[in-house]
Amino acid sequence: MTQHRRSAGLKVIGVLAVPTIAALALTGCSSPAGSNSPAGGSKEFSLSFATSNTMESPFQVLAESYMKSHPDVKITFNPQPNDSYDQTLRTQLQAGNASDIVVTTPGSGQGRSILPLAEAGFLEPLDDAAKKLVPEGSTSLFGKDDKVYGQAAEITVVGLVANETAAKASGVADFPSDFSALEQQCKTLQSNGKSFFAVAGSAAPNTGLMAMSLAGSRVYADDPKWNEKRANNQTTFAGSDGWKSALEAVSKLNDAGCFQQGVAGAGFDAITQGLATGTSLAGFIPAPSWKQLKSAAASSDFDVRALPAEKDHKAFTYASANYAFSINAASKNKDAARAFLDWTAEPEQTKAFAEIDGALPVSGLDSYDFSSGAYKNVADLIKGGKYGPLPNTQWPNSAVYDALASGVQGLITGQKTADQVLQSMDAAWGQ
């Protein structure tokens, strides 16, 4: 345990991903053997993806299912440690020895992001099957000039994952309805030796993700085009009341005892252990993580929730295609790679992959049944369009996110102020 760092917020998704699978249930609904295999040329290709634990990656499981239903195809896997995936991918692409298919992320805020890689000529334009999977409102994150360079794999909600069973056992019968109620609940839990949130204070991906979550209702709910305005120099982080409020909220949560003891030095294990054991009730992690947590604590129910907003702000969450398949422009096995991507784009595969990974499907979301399962508490937000992509996918470089993530660490330790963090983000914007 795609969201997402080392260089950007989404790497936490790789750290807290959900590959708790022994086999992908795609074989029963996949295409007939060989039906998507290339008509001629090579029938083998390689696939690179980031991995952060000993569990099998869902991308590898998907590819293994493809080989099972297409026995004439051979796929070579090149998993890379999540912490170094961005740098390794760039190095391999520049050297001309990257895998035929590489897992990327939409936008421009990371080393593995589609837009800068495409601009550098490293990625191959994809076909109509990939275009049809681009989520509404996300076209600019996948390419330009009517070309797309990534095929979305799933829709990842990024907000809170909560141990509902532990919450009830701790006396939290109703999830806090607003930020003030949240602060009060934190104080009650702290007096009982528990915390509302488990935060990996020493891991920049998690501190940055927390800050972006706090900015959701304070910035992007009211102004979805805030990033566009920042790009056009019509606003700044330091001049934004919403962003200042979001970072000040970090200190408010800390002062209210919302974080576990020792938060400043905590790693990602504090989140998994805290939520699985119930000593903490929720974490700022990608929604698919509910499934891995469920496997670690079978007696607990985990749900996905939006962070409570302040009374005068609209509820909001993040949801977007945070992972994509891209084809290496230098690949010598493009036909075989395209055949695989066409297969993964079929509704049966997108649905099954999302179910296995614990995410939402990238296609068919309009008919998705939210009434039961982990996403029922964010159903109204998703169906009402009250969501957007993670902000940093639209930032010009990873340095902006790095400044936010490290800055929040400074807020937790008391070594930085909100104004200092925002100024550092503005300085990083032009790097």
Side-chain angles (χ1 to χ4, degrees):
M1 280 167 83
T2 253
Q3 95 229 315
H4 161 132
R5 182 122 89 260
R6 309 102 328 201
S7 65
L10 292 180
K11 285 190 182 175
V12 66
I13 297 174
V15 178
L16 288 166
V18 187
T20 57
I21 29 195
L24 186 64
L26 292 173
T27 54
C29 58
S30 59
S31 304
S35 65
N36 283 87
S37 296
S42 174
K43 289 181 177 164
E44 65 178 72
F45 61 89
S46 52
L47 170 65
S48 282
F49 49 86
T51 183
S52 300
N53 49 42
T54 58
M55 296 181 180
E56 195 169 23
S57 163
F59 297 105
Q60 181 167 337
V61 176
L62 176 69
E64 288 174 343
S65 177
Y66 183 69
M67 285 192 288
K68 185 174 182 179
S69 61
H70 300 75
D72 57 338
V73 174
K74 178 183 177 181
I75 304 175
T76 300
F77 301 114
N78 293 317
Q80 301 294 331
N82 194 53
D83 285 348
S84 59
Y85 181 78
D86 288 14
Q87 180 178 353
T88 300
L89 177 61
R90 270 275 182 174
T91 300
Q92 292 179 342
L93 287 169
Q94 291 170 345
N97 59 3
S99 294
D100 300 299
I101 297 177
V102 295
V103 173
T104 55
T105 59
S108 58
Q110 306 177 62
R112 70 186 78 176
S113 292
I114 289 171
L115 297 183
L117 294 178
E119 185 176 352
F122 293 138
L123 304 182
E124 183 78 3
L126 303 182
D127 58 20
D128 288 342
K131 289 183 178 180
K132 292 177 180 178
L133 292 184
V134 175
E136 184 177 354
S138 297
T139 302
S140 63
L141 303 180
F142 284 80
K144 62 180 181 179
D145 299 329
D146 199 36
K147 293 181 180 180
V148 299
Y149 296 88
Q151 180 172 298
E154 63 185 22
I155 298 293
T156 301
V157 176
V158 182
L160 298 177
V161 175
N163 186 330
E164 303 289 338
T165 302
K168 290 184 176 64
S170 300
V172 182
D174 296 311
F175 202 78
S177 58
D178 57 45
F179 193 79
S180 295
L182 171 62
E183 289 181 279
Q184 187 58 50
Q185 188 63 67
C186 288
K187 296 174 182 177
T188 300
L189 287 168
Q190 184 187 46
S191 66
N192 294 326
K194 296 187 177 183
S195 69
F196 200 100
F197 297 116
V199 175
S202 69
N206 196 233
T207 56
L209 196 61
M210 174 175 61
M212 290 195 297
S213 296
L214 289 163
S217 62
R218 292 169 169 81
V219 179
Y220 298 98
D222 290 327
D223 192 356
K225 294 186 177 181
W226 191 93
N227 281 342
E228 183 179 326
K229 293 178 180 178
R230 180 62 187 86
N232 293 327
N233 294 318
Q234 295 173 333
T235 188
T236 62
F237 288 103
S240 167
D241 291 339
W243 267 105
K244 184 173 182 178
S245 174
L247 295 194
E248 288 176 342
V250 174
S251 298
K252 288 181 179 179
L253 292 176
N254 195 21
D255 293 342
C258 294
F259 309 144
Q260 81 281 8
Q261 290 188 355
V263 58
F268 282 110
D269 59 329
I271 301 177
T272 54
Q273 293 175 10
L275 268 62
T277 61
T279 56
S280 297
L281 305 189
F284 296 91
I285 52 180
S289 302
W290 72 265
K291 195 165 187 179
Q292 184 171 338
L293 289 165
K294 180 66 175 177
S295 71
S299 61
S300 293
D301 290 326
F302 294 90
D303 280 351
V304 179
R305 290 184 176 273
L307 180 66
E310 292 185 298
K311 288 184 178 180
D312 56 344
H313 287 84
K314 302 173 184 176
F316 187 84
T317 193
Y318 296 115
S320 58
N322 290 337
Y323 286 128
F325 292 107
S326 294
I327 296 179
N328 177 3
S331 168
K332 297 180 180 179
N333 301 303
K334 291 178 183 176
D335 287 344
R338 287 193 185 97
F340 173 69
L341 263 60
D342 286 345
W343 178 83
T344 62
E346 296 172 359
E348 294 85 356
Q349 274 66 259
T350 62
K351 179 181 178 181
F353 182 59
E355 288 177 350
I356 291 297
D357 201 32
L360 293 174
V362 72
S363 63
L365 192 57
D366 54 343
S367 59
Y368 186 82
D369 182 11
F370 287 93
S371 61
S372 61
Y375 291 92
K376 57 183 177 293
N377 292 305
V378 294
D380 290 342
L381 294 178
I382 300 299
K383 291 189 292 186
K386 299 175 182 177
Y387 65 92
L390 282 169
N392 64 322
T393 61
Q394 299 172 326
W395 294 348
N397 57 65
S398 60
V400 182
Y401 182 85
D402 290 342
L404 172 64
S406 61
V408 171
Q409 291 174 315
L411 292 176
I412 292 175
T413 60
Q415 296 174 307
K416 288 190 177 182
T417 66
D419 286 336
Q420 289 174 327
V421 178
L422 295 172
Q423 290 167 7
S424 68
M425 293 172 69
D426 283 323
W429 188 275
Q431 291 184 9

